[in-house]
Amino acid sequence: MKLITWNCQGAFRKKADIILVHEPDIVVVQECENPEKLVFNSKTQKPNDFVWFGDNPHKGVGIFSYSDFKFEPLEHNTDIKQILPVSVKNEQIGFTLFAVWANHPNDSDGRYVEQVWKAVNHYEELLSEGQVILTGDFNSNKIWDKEHKKGSHSDVVKKLAEKNIWSAYHKYLEQGQGKEEHPTFFLHRNMEKPYHLDYCFTSKELYEKIKSVEVGTHEDWTAHSDHTPLIVHFDL
């Protein structure tokens, strides 16, 4: 199973083909337009299943299946608007996928990593059941920990680690939090302003089946978005 998360910076209908070159099974897309606006080119491969959620018709979160995986949205705490738990199943495996876009500008507690912190606490029971993946644009990094008294990026990482849920990129490629060698975001698409903001956290059983972890480069993706995709390939 190849899983890709990518903040497409809008208009995914015009950009799907460049993701599909990588032959994904599941794609989680932030800043994706809603189904009414998501009209693909006639030659673009259509997903076999699709879930979208968000308030802005131009920028929500889309979850696409390009294989036999089927989706069923689970109970959603709408106070944590842009983080949705979804049941993912095919004939071989089932797991819970949390599609993440940490961005809630109207939350007085904080719009970015605070949303992820709320989610890992609210969905604590669900995170403790079976196989789990949390993936998407977390809009956070350890380098900003000092700005948060509670619910920092490191707090999120620690709480998930207590449940044997780890960042695939960091563990598989032996990267330190806050010391990433591969940025996933370039502010204003500027190569001189790199950050690592996108993650794929997996439970122990799924982590042990990872075959590869890749991050797109600025050179290949800057024409399409200020983010690059994170690609995790599992032997499932």
Side-chain angles (χ1 to χ4, degrees):
M1 178 186 78
K2 187 177 288 187
L3 171 66
I4 299 179
T5 182
W6 183 43
N7 185 322
C8 72
Q9 206 177 17
F12 183 64
R13 64 191 181 278
K14 300 177 181 179
K15 304 174 182 180
D17 287 340
I18 60 173
I19 280 289
L20 291 172
V21 167
H22 296 273
E23 299 182 335
D25 294 285
I26 297 172
V27 185
V28 178
V29 182
Q30 298 81 31
E31 299 196 31
C32 175
E33 60 270 52
N34 72 10
E36 293 180 1
K37 298 183 179 297
L38 197 65
V39 180
F40 293 111
N41 183 295
S42 60
K43 296 181 180 179
T44 298
Q45 179 185 350
K46 307 305 185 291
N48 297 320
D49 204 2
F50 170 57
V51 172
W52 184 91
F53 64 101
D55 293 329
N56 183 335
H58 302 284
K59 291 185 177 183
V61 180
I63 312 168
F64 301 81
S65 172
Y66 291 98
S67 60
D68 60 345
F69 285 105
K70 296 297 182 182
F71 303 141
E72 181 182 349
L74 302 175
E75 183 177 353
H76 181 207
N77 180 351
T78 55
D79 290 335
I80 312 171
K81 289 187 176 182
Q82 305 283 22
I83 301 176
L84 178 72
V86 177
S87 172
V88 180
K89 293 181 180 179
N90 66 8
E91 291 185 358
Q92 286 75 43
I93 191 171
F95 59 91
T96 300
L97 172 69
F98 287 83
V100 177
W101 181 25
N103 183 23
H104 189 348
N106 297 322
D107 190 333
S108 60
D109 292 329
R111 68 184 294 179
Y112 294 135
V113 68
E114 296 87 355
Q115 299 302 305
V116 185
W117 178 245
K118 286 184 175 184
V120 298
N121 283 279
H122 177 80
Y123 295 111
E124 187 160 9
E125 185 174 334
L126 192 56
L127 287 166
S128 302
E129 299 174 353
Q131 303 186 83
V132 176
I133 294 176
L134 302 90
T135 193
D137 178 1
F138 284 49
N139 267 315
S140 67
N141 191 285
K142 182 179 179 179
I143 61 175
W144 296 304
D145 274 359
K146 291 182 179 179
E147 298 178 14
H148 308 277
K149 292 182 179 179
K150 186 176 181 181
S152 67
H153 181 83
S154 291
D155 289 335
V156 169
V157 172
K158 180 180 178 182
K159 189 170 184 67
L160 290 173
E162 290 170 354
K163 298 181 180 299
N164 291 323
I165 300 172
W166 308 302
S167 167
Y169 166 83
H170 292 84
K171 191 171 178 65
Y172 192 82
L173 297 181
E174 299 181 341
Q175 298 286 306
Q177 293 283 346
K179 299 178 180 179
E180 296 85 0
E181 296 177 10
H182 309 89
T184 65
F185 173 74
F186 296 87
L187 185 63
H188 307 309
R189 305 196 187 190
N190 185 340
M191 192 173 182
E192 303 302 318
K193 297 180 179 180
Y195 300 93
H196 192 101
L197 305 183
D198 302 82
Y199 302 86
C200 178
F201 284 82
T202 74
S203 55
K204 182 176 184 292
E205 299 88 344
L206 288 168
Y207 174 79
E208 291 173 348
K209 296 174 182 176
I210 291 176
K211 294 173 62 177
S212 65
V213 178
E214 304 171 48
V215 176
T217 65
H218 178 272
E219 180 182 5
D220 289 340
W221 293 91
T222 189
H224 311 294
S225 175
D226 50 5
H227 285 254
T228 64
L230 174 62
I231 305 171
V232 183
H233 196 180
F234 300 84
D235 186 13
L236 298 178

